[in-house]
Amino acid sequence: MKISNETKIGALAAVSITLLILGFNFLKGQKVFEKSKKIFAIFNNVEGVEVSNAVKINGLLVGNVSAIKETDKDLKNILIEINLKKDIHIPKNSIAEIQTSLLTSPVIVIKKGDASDFADNGDTLATREKPGLLAQVESNINPIISQLNGTLKSLDSLVEVVGSMFDPRTKNNFAAILTNLAGSSASLQQILNS
């Protein structure tokens, strides 16, 4: 029996497509023939987490994000599916949080709990919302800005008192200095707000 050229080409195309899919999944870090455990975490805000982002415990890469889904139409909660690549024991009272940085993509970090029973395939971990890096910087800078504004107001009062003792030309110089300080303060506030 002779096999036709069309059959050979069809078989070659099917094998090529299969190898392409397996190779693509391999490059994404998914092991196709290896069984893995899936656990879930529900967040209010996923802060830039994408499929295939890393999942770490104590700094060790233990898995990746395999899917991100909404739990309802209002997007109050977002479900992250975690594919664990390593066979490790994660206590049921462990907490998952999203860790962001300026240079890398967000990472899901699992803080291990102290429970004696471990999470099984399909369990959902508790989550904790951690403020992003920019929110932390802003919360640290806001008190400094308010102190700087108070200092500038005190300086303004002092310059007015001292300025009344000088001649008109010196007063104009102090007025120009105060105008520049007020402009600099306003520019700094605009930069921090943006």
Side-chain angles (χ1 to χ4, degrees):
M1 176 168 121
K2 185 171 177 165
I3 300 174
S4 69
N5 285 339
E6 290 84 7
T7 306
K8 290 178 186 175
I9 290 173
L12 180 64
V15 168
S16 299
I17 290 171
T18 303
L19 289 176
L20 178 68
I21 291 170
L22 292 175
F24 182 72
N25 286 334
F26 176 75
L27 289 176
K28 282 177 40 179
Q30 297 175 354
K31 294 189 173 145
V32 180
F33 300 111
E34 184 177 301
K35 290 196 174 197
S36 61
K37 183 163 65 170
K38 293 191 184 297
I39 57 174
F40 301 95
I42 298 175
F43 291 95
N44 294 332
N45 184 359
V46 292
E47 298 184 41
V49 174
E50 299 287 336
V51 173
S52 79
N53 279 27
V55 177
K56 294 184 178 184
I57 297 176
N58 296 336
L60 176 68
L61 179 67
V62 295
N64 63 355
V65 175
S66 58
I68 301 173
K69 302 172 188 169
E70 68 279 355
T71 58
D72 56 11
K73 291 186 179 185
D74 294 330
L75 292 178
K76 291 181 182 174
N77 293 315
I78 300 170
L79 178 76
I80 292 183
E81 182 179 308
I82 298 170
N83 183 21
L84 294 174
K85 296 179 181 180
K86 298 190 180 288
D87 185 22
I88 55 172
H89 296 294
I90 300 174
K92 282 195 174 190
N93 64 345
S94 298
I95 297 174
E97 60 185 34
I98 299 172
Q99 195 173 70
T100 58
S101 74
L102 291 175
L103 300 178
T104 60
S105 59
V107 175
I108 305 285
V109 176
I110 299 174
K111 307 279 185 183
K112 288 181 76 174
D114 56 1
S116 59
D117 52 339
F118 301 111
D120 292 325
N121 193 25
D123 281 352
T124 301
L125 295 179
T127 59
R128 177 175 33 206
E129 300 291 329
K130 186 176 179 184
L133 186 62
L134 292 177
Q136 290 175 348
V137 169
E138 184 180 339
S139 68
N140 289 337
I141 287 182
N142 282 338
I144 295 171
I145 290 176
S146 61
Q147 287 178 349
L148 182 62
N149 285 336
T151 304
L152 287 177
K153 287 178 184 176
S154 299
L155 183 62
D156 186 32
S157 303
L158 178 67
V159 169
E160 280 185 27
V161 170
V162 171
S164 64
M165 297 182 210
F166 295 110
D167 61 38
R169 191 173 51 147
T170 307
K171 286 182 185 178
N172 290 338
N173 289 341
F174 277 119
I177 290 170
L178 287 177
T179 304
N180 289 337
L181 282 174
S184 299
S185 175
S187 298
L188 180 61
Q189 184 68 36
Q190 286 177 347
I191 290 171
L192 290 174
N193 287 340
S194 66

